[in-house]
Amino acid sequence: MAVETTPNTTQVQPTVAKRRSGAPVLLNMFKLLHKETPPPQQATMGFFTDTSICIGCKACEVACRQWNQLTPPPAQWSGSSYDNTTHLGAHTWRHVQFIEQIDRVAPPSNGHAGRPVPELPLFEVQTLEDKIAAAKFEGILPEAPPGTALPFFNNERWLMRSDVCKHCANAPCQEACPTGAIIRTEFDTVYVQQDICNGCGYCTVACPFGVIARDDGGSHTAHKCTLCYDRLKDDMEPACAKACPTDSITFGEVEQLKERARERLGFLQKHGVKEALLYGVDDQILDGGLNSFFLLLEEPEVYNLPRNPARPMNNVPVASLWSILAALVLGLASMLFFQQRDER
């Protein structure tokens, strides 16, 4: 009888082993459906960039590349500016704009609107004191100093601005993403999950600021500034703000930064820089404002910023209504066509 039971046990054992080996596979499948508890919500964090004290050193660009291990694009001359980065991209998450203004028109605030600032004489040698006296006499230079390092009242100047993702309160890229790869973190920043992004590129065309871009030569997924999310989780300042030598880039809670931005604007306007303005502080842009906003010295268009950027979500109800109407019209036309055909 011992001999007869041995074959039966040898036949049963492989079946049991197979069933046991299938259990971990099922458990792993159910793990994919498990949703982790989200981290507790933190204060909304962002950037305030004061372009009036940006010196164009590009330290923020270098720090961003080093910390995020971004491969720089090939160096090239644009032919129109000393700015060799030219724009934001999949490997450029910080970009310092160089805007050269030659023979610019005097701002309206000093009474010379629409008339070019007088050119400096070419042959007559003048001292610095003579030039300042002449500028004050013409009303180009106010009696009160502007309180900033940039030559606001010269007829030639460079405007510099460290551009970055705006981390919009209502981000068009997030609204356009079909896979849910773009999320908001506990710091209310906009973050792209690389393992979920399918590289469709919808976010790149939805962003009105030209920030997010697809890495066509590498992962083929979308990339942009993360506001140094890995540093934020460890209570560290983003690399770009940490490296800025003039504190042109200020990092902190958005509401506190907005108060600071309004104070800085009042200071500049009080000291004669009437053309200074804030961009993205109020809630008018994209129906909620920007969490990374700027103090500008010219109109937004000069910095290649849209005055009224479009939010794709606002067009969805209208587009859906037109689609429904078009479907109804086509349906009625088809019914009439087949009815007439049957009558024949």
Side-chain angles (χ1 to χ4, degrees), residues 51-331:
T51 65
S52 67
I53 53 177
C54 178
I55 59 175
C57 66
K58 289 184 177 282
C60 54
E61 279 193 32
V62 176
C64 179
R65 289 190 193 281
Q66 287 182 341
W67 180 260
N68 295 290
Q69 300 180 2
L70 302 175
T71 304
Q76 59 182 357
W77 292 105
S78 64
S80 59
S81 170
Y82 284 103
D83 176 14
N84 60 353
T85 310
T86 66
H87 58 82
L88 293 169
H91 297 278
T92 304
W93 298 354
R94 267 281 179 188
H95 166 229
V96 179
Q97 283 182 308
F98 283 21
I99 303 171
E100 295 89 345
Q101 292 187 325
I102 308 299
D103 294 330
R104 68 188 181 95
V105 175
S109 58
N110 61 8
H112 293 265
R115 185 167 64 85
V117 178
E119 297 181 358
L120 299 176
L122 297 179
F123 301 103
E124 181 183 353
V125 179
Q126 285 186 329
T127 63
L128 180 60
E129 289 76 11
D130 293 336
K131 294 177 182 179
I132 294 175
K136 288 183 178 180
F137 179 77
E138 291 289 334
I140 301 170
L141 184 65
E143 295 294 333
T148 179
L150 285 180
F152 295 101
F153 304 96
N154 200 353
N155 66 327
E156 296 180 0
R157 70 174 179 178
W158 280 357
L159 300 177
M160 298 171 184
R161 178 180 72 102
S162 182
D163 196 12
V164 72
C165 174
K166 315 305 181 290
H167 293 277
C168 316
N170 294 307
C173 60
Q174 183 184 15
E175 294 175 350
C177 180
T179 64
I182 303 179
I183 62 170
R184 304 200 77 90
T185 69
E186 64 268 30
F187 303 100
D188 204 22
T189 60
V190 183
Y191 184 85
V192 183
Q193 301 176 96
Q194 294 299 311
D195 57 337
I196 301 178
C197 177
N198 65 356
C200 66
Y202 291 168
C203 56
T204 63
V205 295
C207 177
F209 305 105
V211 169
I212 193 167
R214 187 172 55 188
D215 183 13
D216 292 328
S219 63
H220 299 281
T221 56
H223 297 267
K224 70 169 195 66
C225 163
T226 64
L227 215 146
C228 284
Y229 179 56
D230 50 348
R231 293 173 65 95
L232 294 186
K233 290 190 294 184
D234 289 333
D235 199 22
M236 296 173 63
E237 187 178 11
C240 56
K242 183 74 174 177
C244 182
T246 63
D247 286 336
S248 172
I249 304 171
T250 309
F251 166 77
E253 295 186 19
V254 169
E255 292 304 320
Q256 295 179 3
L257 292 179
K258 287 183 177 180
E259 293 180 7
R260 179 171 180 174
R262 294 186 183 100
E263 291 176 2
R264 176 63 177 168
L265 177 66
F267 175 83
L268 288 178
Q269 292 184 342
K270 179 181 177 182
H271 288 79
V273 190
K274 301 297 182 182
E275 64 270 27
L277 56 92
L278 295 177
Y279 182 84
V281 173
D282 54 27
D283 295 339
Q284 295 180 359
I285 294 182
L286 297 175
D287 303 328
L290 310 177
N291 289 342
S292 178
F293 44 88
F294 304 87
L295 187 149
L296 306 178
L297 301 177
E298 286 281 2
E299 296 299 322
E301 292 81 3
V302 175
Y303 296 88
N304 198 27
L305 290 170
R307 186 177 294 272
N308 262 327
R311 183 183 175 192
M313 189 60 69
N314 293 340
N315 299 324
V316 170
V318 178
S320 300
L321 179 61
W322 281 111
S323 299
I324 294 172
L325 290 176
L328 290 174
V329 170
L330 288 174

